[in-house]
Amino acid sequence: MAEADRQENGSGHRSLAGRFLATRSLSLDLIARLSDADATIQSMEDASPAKWHLAHTTWFFETFLLRDGLRDYRLFDAEWPFLFNSYYEAEGERIARCSRGLLSRPSLDEVLAYRAHVDAAMEPLLGDPAHAGLVALGIAHEQQHQELLLADIKHALFQNPLGPAMWPAHTTAPAPAPDGGWDEYPGGMAMIGHAGTEFAFDNEGPRHRVLLEPFGLARSLVTNCEWEAFIADGGYCEPRHWLSDGWAWVCREGISAPLYWREDRQFTHSGWRERDPHAPATHISYYEADAFAAWAGARLPTEFEWEALAQGGDPREGNQLDRAAPPMPAGGGGYFGDCWQWTRSTYLPFPRFRAARGAVGEYNGKFMSGQFALRGASCATVRGHSRASYRNFFYPHQRWQFTGLRLAKDL
Amino acid sequence: MAEADRQENGSGHRSLAGRFLATRSLSLDLIARLSDADATIQSMEDASPAKWHLAHTTWFFETFLLRDGLRDYRLFDAEWPFLFNSYYEAEGERIARCSRGLLSRPSLDEVLAYRAHVDAAMEPLLGDPAHAGLVALGIAHEQQHQELLLADIKHALFQNPLGPAMWPAHTTAPAPAPDGGWDEYPGGMAMIGHAGTEFAFDNEGPRHRVLLEPFGLARSLVTNCEWEAFIADGGYCEPRHWLSDGWAWVCREGISAPLYWREDRQFTHSGWRERDPHAPATHISYYEADAFAAWAGARLPTEFEWEALAQGGDPREGNQLDRAAPPMPAGGGGYFGDCWQWTRSTYLPFPRFRAARGAVGEYNGKFMSGQFALRGASCATVRGHSRASYRNFFYPHQRWQFTGLRLAKDL
Amino acid sequence: MAEADRQENGSGHRSLAGRFLATRSLSLDLIARLSDADATIQSMEDASPAKWHLAHTTWFFETFLLRDGLRDYRLFDAEWPFLFNSYYEAEGERIARCSRGLLSRPSLDEVLAYRAHVDAAMEPLLGDPAHAGLVALGIAHEQQHQELLLADIKHALFQNPLGPAMWPAHTTAPAPAPDGGWDEYPGGMAMIGHAGTEFAFDNEGPRHRVLLEPFGLARSLVTNCEWEAFIADGGYCEPRHWLSDGWAWVCREGISAPLYWREDRQFTHSGWRERDPHAPATHISYYEADAFAAWAGARLPTEFEWEALAQGGDPREGNQLDRAAPPMPAGGGGYFGDCWQWTRSTYLPFPRFRAARGAVGEYNGKFMSGQFALRGASCATVRGHSRASYRNFFYPHQRWQFTGLRLAKDL
Amino acid sequence: MAEADRQENGSGHRSLAGRFLATRSLSLDLIARLSDADATIQSMEDASPAKWHLAHTTWFFETFLLRDGLRDYRLFDAEWPFLFNSYYEAEGERIARCSRGLLSRPSLDEVLAYRAHVDAAMEPLLGDPAHAGLVALGIAHEQQHQELLLADIKHALFQNPLGPAMWPAHTTAPAPAPDGGWDEYPGGMAMIGHAGTEFAFDNEGPRHRVLLEPFGLARSLVTNCEWEAFIADGGYCEPRHWLSDGWAWVCREGISAPLYWREDRQFTHSGWRERDPHAPATHISYYEADAFAAWAGARLPTEFEWEALAQGGDPREGNQLDRAAPPMPAGGGGYFGDCWQWTRSTYLPFPRFRAARGAVGEYNGKFMSGQFALRGASCATVRGHSRASYRNFFYPHQRWQFTGLRLAKDL
């Protein structure tokens, strides 16, 4: 990664307006190789069309900044909020999630015009401190959708028997063999949650004390060849490694490998490619991560354990997204990058957590049941987006994101 | 309809090659206003993307004519038959029907290139009498898909809350009040099934005798305002009008009007428009047709009754498809045109029916369970495609085609 | 079969009152070996608990005879009609069909008390000619439920891994090798439908003329060993034998043999037993029957063909139910007995058919979509219940009744 | 509760053999009023037939004590483990959970004979210290199934439109108005998890330190009239109170009140009865509990907060099950009794938790995903079964157990 890139997307070194423009621009770069049709299809209810991501992130700025904050602003199209509201009940009715993939209209070009319109209208607000919080939220929101967009389009292209590539393959050095060592933590009181004045999501606080027992965390993520050993040892056939819900999922869905694996290859944004043995294993569910850890005689860390050790790392290092290029786990270390890491903690409110008032209060709090916390960052996370206190979350069966695992053990 | 048009698409007045070219050309006209994205989406398993129809009809010619009949022909793309085979088990595995809408690739342009390639390769075969039967089948097949394409894209656009129009609305004269009279048949032996040497599907024969009791058929199709009277009289709320399966369907799906009706409007290829009171009611299921007939103190005809009377009509008259323009039932008469007409006959083989050998034998025979026969032609049927012996068929709950009803009574 | 038995249940030789009592009594004999729990369970939505059959047939007499025909009659229990109405919309709301198996109360003893109460109350009506039609309908109705009860309890006991027997096995002679011959019909006009003054269901009429082409019907039903040859020849693996809906059913449900077959055994009312090679194959769906016929180079008969030939047989002969004993196909001939025979005719109204007025009019007519007609009688049909014009009907995937097939061919 | 009763079922004051016999005997008392049919039916996959509970608890002793611990023991029936194994993968295949309600055989009497046989065979093991741990586990296991049996049969009888009562109603004093006060905890380090040598489940340990912030817990459970106020205020119609998954559940299932509520009545083991305004609200899901707390401006406690305060209470006090009689929340206080209390903690392993080896290790650990912890005890919990460290767990939508809530707040 060039220093220039790092400054492009980082959160700390640029003005809010600059970060707004960089973020809006990256979205356009990400979809530059997609056709209108590519940007329209939706492969499952969990995923959304690329075009929808482009429009929804724009709707966010239009709704919470322009409509609510700019006198005399008129909506680009009064019917579009019905299409591009995601889940904000306070913002009214909206199209069923599973129908997002039927919106051939508006076209990609019309959505791009919508983006340009909103970007222009945003200009007077970008320097106004009264709006800085919501703008920062909107930027972080769009960065999340950039990662979702990459995961969703990968899933959509994977459905196509032709195995189309979104980007050409570019040669990469093989991942180095993983460091087999453990980072250790002696136990005691840890401060968990976001500190400081920079932007963070509401779910990262309040900062609070947590008591930890002594533990170790693997320095490296579990790799493809380690996962192959799990398969070869009958890992997917032996119920004793699995949580009960996980085993039911394996049997019901006929799961026998990570998503996107087929023989020695895996599907990527560059089509079908050979797997790199030492690259981190990815596209695994919580159930798989937990079963692997059980098979390996280890366990998953709690999100508190993870954060306590990760506070010593640099969240801007590691294999993260710097530009529009195929994201691929590459190995080589650090707590941030390559894959999100499943923790054994469910995604629940921290003590004294309160969601914000109004529609924005629906951002995080209402999802606090049934999901597990993931920590770190992935190769599809915009560099600068994540941090030690950052809490990602998915349901335990989901695995279309770049998800992997780092083992933990008691000391 | 100008005489010129009638000659364009008709089956009787032109060479096979001319009809091939006219049919291939009409398909292109039909999708001229669709974007790549419009042509890619699939709104339900019963429907297919427009692009898929374009490619599948081409696959038919490529497979059964070029591959099987032309020495040294090489497939345009060896992977495409997996995508564009519909249901021919003898032709091997194929993509799941419900996944056709995920094929953003090949693009619409690539599919059009495929069409051009196949059309060019077909040239030497078009004049060869050895291939005339299959070419005629391929033309009729593509005409069927032209009607399906129109129905499918209408259903897809209907899902879009914006209610997009495929064509601009063009003003049409209101339908005339229907002729309230009945055509009568005195009973006796009728000859049913295709006669003559022109092309017909295998399911239209063998021609055979059927004994009919005296009956009458309404001269006009049931109209929108008659249907509104059925609704106003509680037709959808009163189980005694309904078949048991139909009533279960009404309750399960919450049916209270024909598909595409909303208040006084209906969705059309030109978007949402006022309903024309005297135009034939359309987009109704067999269950609805049967319930309406019971409510009206009449019944549906058998397909044999229908054919016995329709043999006196001209299948090239009536409101059928002549060019790429929004199909709309307009009323005004005849047995052919406006809407397909549900009969109370299930789609079963005629006596001594035998399906053809090989893959083409899967065309019709294997669908002879669970479906009802519809007769006539609709405003979306290419003129010249249908005839008195023509048997269309759908499941009793299906109603996304232009389907209506003509009442019958015992004499 | 002893002559005495034949007189017991026959429809022609006894008074209506005698037949009422014999029918009511047979129901009790059939369930004599069932526990309260056996009589309560329901193994699928298509089936009903034995207790429910006992109560529903009683509800029929109570509702349409006692309540409607007997001054001052008071319902045995005012809440029970909600439980024991089957599908009569005109009789009001009722328990969901799939919940019939949750009725541990009323107990079997209470239901038997209900039967005794209604039987006693019926006495004054049995000799009254004004009620004779409804009494005869009620008797025929209960006979139908006797066969359903036998099929339903067999299906329920089959679910039990212990394979419990309802009756002890009794040794039977092996079925004789089938007669390989064909009965031939020269074609021409046939009179179809019920004639005469004895009881028949409304769906058996009106009697009408049907034109038939020359055909032959196999003298014997298809046997177990013939079915085994179909399996051995890959019959369940080869889509070309199958209707499209049938092949989808085979794939979706993983069908590879008739219901109740496991290796060389089959499940019976006497538990798991060896299959008799020459006994008629049974518990097959329409899809299987059609595929077998296609494989065998033959076809299924229409119901009109079947009736035209069966009119020459004696519907009171053959392997039918005479007493409470395990029904088992035994082979040996005739058009009646052993198994119901699938025809390729769908169950539709005969010309000029009109359902009766009122709730009883729901008996047959509203089921005239989606089902196929079966003809003959089975080993579980009470002798005297069926006749040449009798029309049984089921959906093409259903096979928990004693269903088999007789091949037909064109001449 | 008489002192005698308390000694009957308590865990502390009697010999292991005495507690074994008392537990086995209580199961018989609980089903004394059930018919064979009552004991056979299963109303949903989550529930099991009463007969199955009786047999499964017996299978537990037969398998893990008699088969594994008693030389020359022969199984009562070699086919029954297939029927009565619940979820122990290490014990092999078993009947599908949803098919337990189809087992009319073995009969209730046969199951009772099984119980007697196993009880007799257990005698020599009851005094042997080598088996004491497994015997204690088997007793606790059967106590859990006693509560499940009560919940399951209530759910089954509720399906019956007749609303049958399992026990006659007995008059009870109205619940007193709730104490509106809060118990407060100053924050700091708490010791969580089972201490001491008495029996506890593996999931209650290891005992470990947890840091708590200052909080308060309501002294009383939320009552019926408080819940009615929530309903009257539109609680079930206002998405902002609800978790996202909870709101989806409300909409999908049409939820508008606790399970078993209908107008002013609720279904109980004594049939339909008026609701007692000050009795604790019960049969609510986690989603409902969480929404109520949000509406009330409070929150649910964590399981650690609950345990920290409950350690000061007496787990043998409160409204719990002492004998075979209709369980009913009655109000009046304490942390134990009336209803299990939802916590906002998901059911996860405590630090350094390790499941036991072998089949018994499947008891708890494999369920540690997707479920929430409930604490306390209910009116259907055998007195002596629960304790401050006891962890019950259910999925957030489940509510057929006696589940309620106690509000918490930050201090």
Side-chain angles (χ1 to χ4, degrees), chain C residues 13-78:
Chain C
H13 307 292
R14 296 193 43 164
S15 70
L16 193 63
R19 291 195 290 120
F20 174 83
L21 295 173
T23 300
R24 299 290 285 170
S25 172
L26 177 59
S27 292
L28 300 186
D29 292 348
L30 289 177
I31 58 90
R33 289 169 174 275
L34 298 183
S35 69
D36 187 11
D38 291 334
T40 296
I41 59 176
Q42 176 184 32
S43 55
M44 60 172 172
E45 187 163 352
D46 286 340
S48 295
K51 199 167 66 180
W52 188 91
H53 287 295
L54 295 175
H56 165 67
T57 48
T58 305
W59 167 86
F60 191 95
F61 286 113
E62 185 183 55
T63 301
F64 299 121
L65 274 298
L66 299 179
R67 186 199 64 182
D68 292 353
L70 196 62
R71 184 190 305 262
D72 296 333
Y73 178 77
R74 289 188 51 201
L75 295 181
F76 183 75
D77 188 309

Side-chain angles (χ1 to χ4, degrees), chain D residues 172-176 223-225 228 264 266 273-281 328-331:
Chain D
T172 49
T223 65
N224 284 331
C225 65
E228 286 158 8
D264 294 335
Q266 60 186 340
R273 299 186 60 187
E274 296 282 307
R275 284 201 300 278
D276 180 351
H278 293 317
M328 284 286 289

